[in-house]
Amino acid sequence: MLKENYLDVDANVAAACKRAGRDRSEVTLIAVSKTKPLSDIEEILDTTDCVHFGENKVQELVDKFENVSRPVHWHMIGHLQTNKVKYIVDKVDMIHSVDSLKLAETIEKEAAKRDVVANILIEVNVAEEESKFGITCDMAEGIIREVSKLPHVHICGLMTIAPFVDDAQENRIHFKRLRELFLDIKSKNIDNVDMTALSMGMTGDYAVAIEEGATMVRVGTGIFGARNYNIT
Ligand SMILES: *Cc1c(COP(=O)(O)O)cnc(C)c1O
């Protein structure tokens, strides 16, 4: 039952906040519904207080956006191609996966056309894995300073996808590093940049991420069960 799964995760989030001496309200639990049918989202909406959903494919996000029975907060968490920005820029609360100046400039152009300001996070490949998108920690300040000049793009913080590991504790060092970068950039008080959102932690490691300061965790499998990529 999705309701039980969600409530379990929610309780784990609360417990991690407590261990870290943080208030539960500091952490947003995003239910990552990618590959799952709209009926699963509806079931969560009917049975829990969850209103934040994450998707990683533009077409799927747009389909669900158009068909969901009530308004929810959508988060684009997957790699975004510049030619697809136009389909989601006015539909999502936040784009978590901005990994280049070029992508930010495209978001600026499309947001300006629709007279909206797009909330974004800069995706950092903190563990420097070959297979992952995201900029390096060293590049972050430079890119953030450039993106901060775009009037229709608002940087709200940083995001990372930590390595896939058996023991979540192994990722603690990466979460710590991202938080340090987050605080370092925050301390520079760059105009049009807010460092308030730290999106890190997935099913395997969200508790550790919360202990290390995450303000948004993105949980898919833990809520919806395993994904089958063959029947999307
Ligand atoms: C799929 C996905 C998640 C959720 O992963 P789970 O391990 O199923 O919780 C979180 N973040 C991103 C960027 C994803 O693509």
Side-chain angles (χ1 to χ4, degrees):
M1 282 281 288
L2 301 184
K3 175 187 177 184
E4 278 71 34
N5 293 349
Y6 180 84
L7 293 179
D8 281 348
V9 173
D10 191 57
N12 294 337
V13 168
C17 286
K18 196 152 184 231
R19 281 197 299 280
R22 303 179 61 196
D23 196 275
R24 173 65 185 85
S25 65
E26 290 174 35
V27 180
T28 302
L29 171 54
I30 299 171
V32 176
S33 44
K34 67 188 188 195
T35 80
K36 297 296 177 180
L38 185 62
S39 56
D40 281 6
I41 295 177
E42 297 290 350
E43 186 176 331
I44 293 278
L45 287 172
D46 286 342
T47 57
T48 76
D49 59 6
C50 179
V51 287
H52 290 272
F53 292 87
E55 291 286 339
N56 71 337
K57 295 250 173 357
V58 166
Q59 185 61 52
E60 190 175 345
L61 192 154
V62 171
D63 282 347
K64 287 172 175 168
F65 174 94
E66 283 170 355
N67 291 296
V68 72
S69 64
R70 66 193 97 159
V72 305
H73 299 281
W74 293 106
H75 297 262
M76 177 61 192
I77 62 173
H79 183 64
L80 182 55
Q81 288 170 284
T82 51
N83 62 344
K84 296 197 173 158
V85 169
K86 57 178 178 278
Y87 301 115
I88 58 146
V89 73
D90 55 355
K91 296 184 177 64
V92 299
D93 267 38
M94 195 172 270
I95 301 173
H96 292 230
S97 42
V98 178
D99 58 2
S100 70
L101 180 58
K102 183 167 162 253
L103 176 58
E105 285 168 345
T106 306
I107 295 170
E108 166 64 28
K109 197 176 82 193
E110 297 297 335
K113 271 189 208 163
R114 290 162 185 79
D115 200 22
V116 297
V117 173
N119 290 320
I120 67 150
L121 304 179
I122 299 296
E123 180 173 354
V124 181
N125 181 0
V126 73
E128 302 198 5
E129 291 178 282
E130 290 283 343
S131 59
K132 298 245 165 85
F133 291 104
I135 62 167
T136 62
C137 290
D138 294 345
M139 293 161 66
E141 187 181 340
I143 290 197
I144 287 170
R145 286 195 185 276
E146 288 305 311
V147 175
S148 74
K149 297 173 191 160
L150 306 173
H152 299 85
V153 175
H154 180 213
I155 298 179
C156 303
L158 305 178
M159 177 272 220
T160 198
I161 303 174
F164 187 78
V165 289
D166 287 327
D167 178 4
Q169 298 297 342
E170 289 176 42
N171 280 337
R172 191 178 292 279
I173 182 174
H174 301 306
F175 297 142
K176 264 193 208 300
R177 176 119 193 265
L178 192 69
R179 177 143 190 281
E180 277 163 19
L181 179 65
F182 172 89
L183 292 176
D184 180 48
I185 290 169
K186 190 187 197 122
S187 74
K188 314 233 152 138
N189 289 314
I190 303 167
D191 269 359
N192 189 34
V193 174
D194 275 317
M195 280 288 135
T196 48
L198 195 49
S199 172
M200 57 186 195
M202 309 179 10
T203 294
D205 55 19
Y206 64 88
V208 174
I210 290 168
E211 288 166 12
E212 296 303 330
T215 70
M216 294 178 151
V217 292
R218 311 176 307 264
V219 179
T221 312
I223 296 172
F224 295 100
R227 286 179 291 272
N228 183 344
Y229 286 97
N230 298 322
I231 46 150
T232 48

